[in-house]
Amino acid sequence: MYYIILNILHCKKIFSGTDIISTVEFNSTGELLATGDKGGRVVVFQREQESKNQPHRRGEYNVYSTFQSHEPEFDYLKSLEIEEKINKIRWLPQQNAAYFLLSTNDKTVKLWKISERDKRPEGYNLKDEDGRIRDPTTITALRVPVLRPMDLMVEATPRRVFCNAHTYHINSISVNSDYETFMSTDDLRINLWNLEITNRSFNIVDIKPVNMEELTEVITAAEFHPHQCNTFVYSSSKGSIRLCDMRASALCDNHSKFFEEPEDPSNRSFFSEIISSISDVKFSHSGRYLMTRDYLTVKVWDLNMESKPLETYQVHDYLRSKLCSLYENDCIFDKFECVWNGSDSVIMTGSYNNFFRMFDRNTKRDVTLEASRENSKPRAILKPRKVCVGGKRRKDEISVDSLDFSKKILHTAWHPSENIIAVAATNNLYIFQDKVN
């Protein structure tokens, strides 16, 4: 699994806190790629069409549209600032020439329409060409308006705003396979929305205890099943996953299936509860498997086997000895995401030092690759990296003590059908393509 870099996008020469990419998402065809950042902006990239003159340009992504999705707000009732940072983006399946996506910050979900205009109407009867209203007494002839060609313009317009339904911070949104509903999830509740209705939602999970002092876990992520519109899962900070069926009851506080791996008592430590918290959960495209990411591992679960995971992959096991310092610098609370490739045969997740890991489920091979501007020239082959834990260090290895924990890859995305991946490294977006292409 070697990848060559196609293009480095969204790079800023001057580092700014608001440029940090906070989510990355391909649409259902892979032709568009959206990123959200801490400044509330959404940047949409479009894939270049193949040309006979430059066949190698196929696969390059260029900026298609940029718009401000969320603005900073202030909750006067609670005296709290609401960040504009985009927490998640989810595309809706394309129904016509326009594209639709959902974006959310901590409190508000917005539905955006992205459309193209390459013609403009001319020859109004009641308006001048510059848009001013004409005096009706001066109109002596009736004109038929016509459409004239113009330079292509991409417009992003907000179509719906879903707000005032969450007391706590929204950590995930997921579009249902019925394409009529979606859910938004915060620390203690999951709400179900109709895409056409903004003034009400249905609470389908509520784990808030009567006495908040009895709170033992929070919801960390949730996702709908890719094919069954009645089924969804949510993960918790205790390392458990609950599968719920909306046909069973309106409020899904009682789960249908419960997935949790018993902890090995010999590995128990002060940090056990923190590192077992699940930061991301994803259904496979087939709908048969679940993938979860905790601090040190990625696990694959079979929906028909609740007792233990089918596969466990160590992402950065060499950090076990560093948990104390990772706790002191707050890195132990980082929330890494994980993604499947289009055929569910390879999984990818991020690590520190701008490393990202890939695990081949069939061959059981894994590789560590690095996304950095220094060693990533366009169309150059990425070389696998290795981390040395102790003893003698080889020339091509990097010592665990020299890892840069400020450089981290939390957000990644995989093209739905091809071996093209997008990796967000702070304020840089890297797009890599398989060598065979």
Side-chain angles (χ1 to χ4, degrees):
M1 289 182 290
Y2 296 102
Y3 283 74
I4 57 173
I5 186 163
L6 276 182
N7 217 347
I8 303 174
L9 306 165
H10 212 63
C11 287
K12 310 284 183 185
K13 288 180 181 173
I14 302 170
F15 184 86
S16 157
T18 59
D19 292 332
I20 296 173
I21 300 170
S22 52
T23 183
V24 186
E25 189 77 11
F26 279 103
N27 74 337
S28 58
T29 63
E31 292 302 303
L32 297 181
L33 171 68
T35 65
D37 66 22
K38 282 189 80 174
R41 287 180 298 273
V42 172
V43 181
V44 180
F45 300 94
Q46 186 181 42
R47 196 177 185 188
E48 283 284 324
Q49 296 303 310
E50 191 169 5
S51 67
K52 291 180 181 177
N53 302 334
Q54 296 173 302
H56 67 275
R57 282 184 67 85
R58 172 67 174 161
E60 289 194 10
Y61 284 80
N62 293 316
V63 175
Y64 178 64
S65 175
T66 304
F67 57 93
Q68 188 74 28
S69 175
H70 287 69
E71 301 280 356
E73 297 174 49
F74 191 79
D75 186 335
Y76 291 97
L77 291 174
K78 295 178 181 171
S79 296
L80 283 174
E81 283 187 38
I82 301 169
E83 274 191 323
E84 66 271 37
K85 174 192 164 194
I86 308 295
N87 291 339
K88 282 286 185 290
I89 289 172
R90 288 290 179 264
W91 290 92
L92 271 63
Q94 193 177 0
Q95 308 285 349
N96 49 38
Y99 302 97
F100 290 87
L101 63 81
L102 290 167
S103 63
T104 185
N105 67 346
D106 286 342
K107 298 290 182 186
T108 306
V109 185
K110 293 184 180 181
L111 175 66
W112 288 89
K113 177 186 179 182
I114 302 168
S115 54
E116 296 180 355
R117 264 204 324 177
D118 59 357
K119 291 183 176 66
R120 68 168 182 268
E122 283 184 5
Y124 287 110
N125 288 289
L126 300 176
K127 288 182 187 174
D128 286 332
E129 298 307 330
D130 56 5
R132 286 181 299 185
I133 302 295
R134 292 171 64 187
D135 182 358
T137 58
T138 64
I139 300 172
T140 56
L142 192 66
R143 293 192 293 180
V144 178
V146 291
L147 292 172
R148 301 265 185 234
M150 60 177 272
D151 291 337
L152 180 68
M153 194 165 80
V154 181
E155 294 178 315
T157 50
R159 299 305 302 270
R160 311 253 191 294
V161 178
F162 306 89
C163 56
N164 303 323
H166 286 279
T167 309
Y168 308 99
H169 291 177
I170 298 172
N171 55 46
S172 55
I173 50 176
S174 179
V175 180
N176 202 346
S177 59
D178 61 9
Y179 307 141
E180 291 181 4
T181 55
F182 75 93
M183 65 180 175
S184 55
T185 308
D186 67 25
D187 295 338
L188 298 178
R189 295 192 177 104
I190 300 176
N191 292 333
L192 182 70
W193 301 82
N194 187 299
L195 282 162
E196 301 293 326
I197 301 167
T198 60
N199 61 356
R200 68 174 180 271
S201 64
F202 298 94
N203 180 225
I204 53 175
V205 171
D206 186 351
I207 65 166
K208 184 180 179 181
V210 177
N211 181 1
M212 283 295 276
E213 290 180 5
E214 296 170 7
L215 183 68
T216 57
E217 62 182 336
V218 294
I219 301 169
T220 55
E223 187 175 65
F224 270 118
H225 191 280
H227 312 302
Q228 299 167 9
C229 62
N230 54 283
T231 308
F232 67 93
V233 293
Y234 68 91
S235 58
S236 86
S237 57
K238 271 192 166 179
S240 59
I241 311 110
R242 291 170 174 85
L243 181 84
C244 300
D245 188 340
M246 290 191 289
R247 295 172 302 184
S249 67
L251 193 62
C252 300
D253 287 353
N254 295 320
H255 49 267
S256 303
K257 291 189 176 183
F258 182 79
F259 302 87
E260 187 176 45
E261 185 175 27
E263 189 188 4
D264 183 354
S266 62
N267 285 340
R268 177 122 189 111
S269 72
F270 170 78
F271 306 107
S272 293
E273 281 192 20
I274 302 171
I275 63 173
S276 66
S277 174
I278 293 173
S279 56
D280 197 16
V281 59
K282 292 269 174 47
F283 274 106
S284 63
H285 295 87
S286 66
R288 171 72 188 271
Y289 304 103
L290 272 175
M291 172 168 58
T292 59
R293 171 72 208 259
D294 56 41
Y295 190 67
L296 294 176
T297 65
V298 172
K299 292 171 183 169
V300 176
W301 302 78
D302 188 323
L303 288 190
N304 298 328
M305 187 171 75
E306 300 170 59
S307 57
K308 61 178 182 178
L310 199 64
E311 303 153 22
T312 301
Y313 301 98
Q314 299 294 335
V315 179
H316 37 218
D317 202 44
Y318 46 78
L319 294 182
R320 274 189 197 277
S321 61
K322 301 277 179 191
L323 291 178
C324 192
S325 57
L326 289 163
Y327 178 77
E328 288 170 0
N329 64 15
D330 281 349
C331 284
I332 202 167
F333 302 106
D334 286 333
K335 292 175 170 56
F336 292 94
E337 295 173 6
C338 52
V339 288
W340 302 88
N341 72 338
S343 61
D344 299 333
S345 60
V346 183
I347 54 185
M348 173 174 65
T349 191
S351 181
Y352 294 104
N353 210 71
N354 280 358
F355 288 166
F356 58 99
R357 304 269 283 136
M358 288 183 173
F359 304 94
D360 191 312
R361 297 180 60 212
N362 298 326
T363 64
K364 303 303 176 189
R365 288 176 57 202
D366 63 272
V367 66
T368 302
L369 299 169
E370 183 181 5
S372 74
R373 298 179 72 168
E374 289 75 35
N375 61 11
S376 296
K377 293 176 182 175
R379 319 208 77 75
I381 294 176
L382 280 186
K383 292 178 181 173
R385 303 299 306 268
K386 282 191 177 160
V387 178
C388 163
V389 178
K392 280 194 173 183
R393 182 169 65 88
R394 292 182 186 171
K395 184 183 176 185
D396 57 341
E397 290 182 338
I398 181 168
S399 167
V400 67
D401 296 317
S402 57
L403 292 175
D404 188 343
F405 294 110
S406 65
K407 294 179 178 177
K408 56 191 90 169
I409 290 176
L410 303 176
H411 314 287
T412 55
W414 203 308
H415 190 286
S417 56
E418 296 181 38
N419 272 343
I420 296 175
I421 58 170
V423 174
T426 53
N427 62 338
N428 299 328
L429 178 71
Y430 296 89
I431 297 177
F432 301 99
Q433 184 177 17
D434 199 335
K435 185 180 174 186
V436 296
N437 286 3

